[in-house]
Amino acid sequence: MNRKLVVASNNKHKISEIKDILSKLNIEVISLREANIDVDVEEDGITFMENACKKAQVIFDMLKGGAMVLADDSGIAVDALDGAPGVFSARFAGEHGNDKKNNEKLLKLMEGKQNRKAKFVCAMVLFINKNTVIKVQGEVHGVVAEELKGHEGFGYDPVFYIPQYGKTFGELSSTIKNTISHRAQALSKLEDAFKEYLQEE
């Protein structure tokens, strides 16, 4: 089995989290850039899982089976906004990946809202080979904070408050976040499924 895994992303924060969480497995984890792949797969699915599947499939086909491919799609879903931003999380304010504007828009829309419940969702798809595809999803529940707090993490982390810790993701250390986050939960499920696959191989 090929021990190289290409993460279908160039988000350095996401790559770092995935490398950290998967470090105990005997796998070489690299980004698209490190694999010399320059492609922007259009995320036009209506669910996180659809987008993750499409990204993984496109990159796997490009590599022609030369490596395993892991793709994820993640974002925040807010109850009071009927699940928005959802799959549009990265481009909520119009400009892809502008964390500052995305957070500002979310806080503005949440002004005066009593129900501030929200969840982070992470769908992951791993193409091991053309016949073996693993799909998992992780979620973590919290609330939308009244204001930005903390400088750790990325994306919506400074506005995602975890009551049991009394802090936002932006205030939590990466050690704690990488234990409880939606991505950590998805990767934990992925690890279990991957180990099961290795036992059957």
Side-chain angles (χ1 to χ4, degrees), residues 5 9 11 30 64 75 92 105 137 148 156 159 169 192:
L5 187 153
S9 174
N11 183 316
I30 63 174
K64 302 185 187 306
F92 192 39
K105 180 176 180 178
Q137 184 161 301
L148 295 165
Y156 294 90
V159 298
F169 264 7
D192 289 344

Side-chain angles (χ1 to χ4, degrees), residues 44-104:
D44 53 3
I46 61 173
T47 66
F48 293 114
M49 189 60 75
E50 283 183 14
N51 283 334
C53 284
K54 182 178 180 182
K55 285 190 282 188
Q57 180 77 66
V58 170
I59 303 304
F60 185 78
D61 289 346
M62 287 182 67
L63 290 168
K64 302 185 187 306
M68 295 183 289
V69 174
L70 175 65
D72 91 314
D73 193 35
S74 54
I76 190 170
V78 181
D79 282 12
L81 302 180
D82 297 322
V87 293
F88 301 104
S89 291
R91 52 194 186 278
F92 192 39
E95 181 186 342
H96 195 281
N98 190 321
D99 294 347
K100 183 174 183 292
K101 288 185 176 180
N102 287 337
N103 281 315
E104 287 174 351

Side-chain angles (χ1 to χ4, degrees), residues 4-183:
K4 181 178 286 187
L5 187 153
V6 176
V7 181
S9 174
N10 281 315
N11 183 316
K12 62 182 181 180
H13 301 290
K14 188 180 291 188
I15 298 291
S16 178
E17 280 189 8
I18 292 173
K19 283 185 175 181
D20 182 55
I21 295 170
L22 290 183
S23 60
K24 52 195 162 186
L25 296 177
N26 184 27
I27 295 172
E28 180 189 1
V29 180
I30 63 174
S31 67
L32 287 177
R33 188 172 288 111
E34 290 171 317
N36 295 313
I37 296 174
D38 183 14
V39 64
D40 188 15
V41 180
E42 184 182 4
E43 298 177 25
D44 53 3
I46 61 173
T47 66
F48 293 114
M49 189 60 75
E50 283 183 14
N51 283 334
C53 284
K54 182 178 180 182
K55 285 190 282 188
Q57 180 77 66
V58 170
I59 303 304
F60 185 78
D61 289 346
M62 287 182 67
L63 290 168
K64 302 185 187 306
M68 295 183 289
V69 174
L70 175 65
D72 91 314
D73 193 35
S74 54
I76 190 170
V78 181
D79 282 12
L81 302 180
D82 297 322
V87 293
F88 301 104
S89 291
R91 52 194 186 278
F92 192 39
E95 181 186 342
H96 195 281
N98 190 321
D99 294 347
K100 183 174 183 292
K101 288 185 176 180
N102 287 337
N103 281 315
E104 287 174 351
K105 180 176 180 178
L106 178 58
L107 289 177
K108 183 71 175 175
L109 289 173
M110 290 300 290
E111 286 180 1
K113 302 284 189 187
Q114 293 299 312
N115 179 7
R116 304 186 72 85
K117 291 180 181 178
K119 63 181 178 181
F120 264 134
V121 181
C122 176
M124 282 193 167
V125 177
L126 173 65
F127 270 70
I128 296 177
N129 53 53
K130 64 180 181 179
N131 299 315
T132 309
V133 180
I134 296 172
K135 300 178 183 180
V136 295
Q137 184 161 301
E139 295 182 1
V140 60
H141 294 259
V143 297
V144 178
E146 299 280 351
E147 60 184 357
L148 295 165
K149 286 187 177 181
H151 302 286
E152 298 294 324
F154 60 101
Y156 294 90
D157 286 356
V159 298
F160 190 73
Y161 181 81
I162 305 292
Q164 59 264 46
Y165 285 88
K167 294 181 178 181
T168 67
F169 264 7
E171 295 175 294
L172 290 174
S173 68
S174 60
T175 302
I176 295 175
K177 183 191 169 188
N178 288 353
T179 303
I180 66 171
S181 76
H182 51 312
R183 189 164 293 110

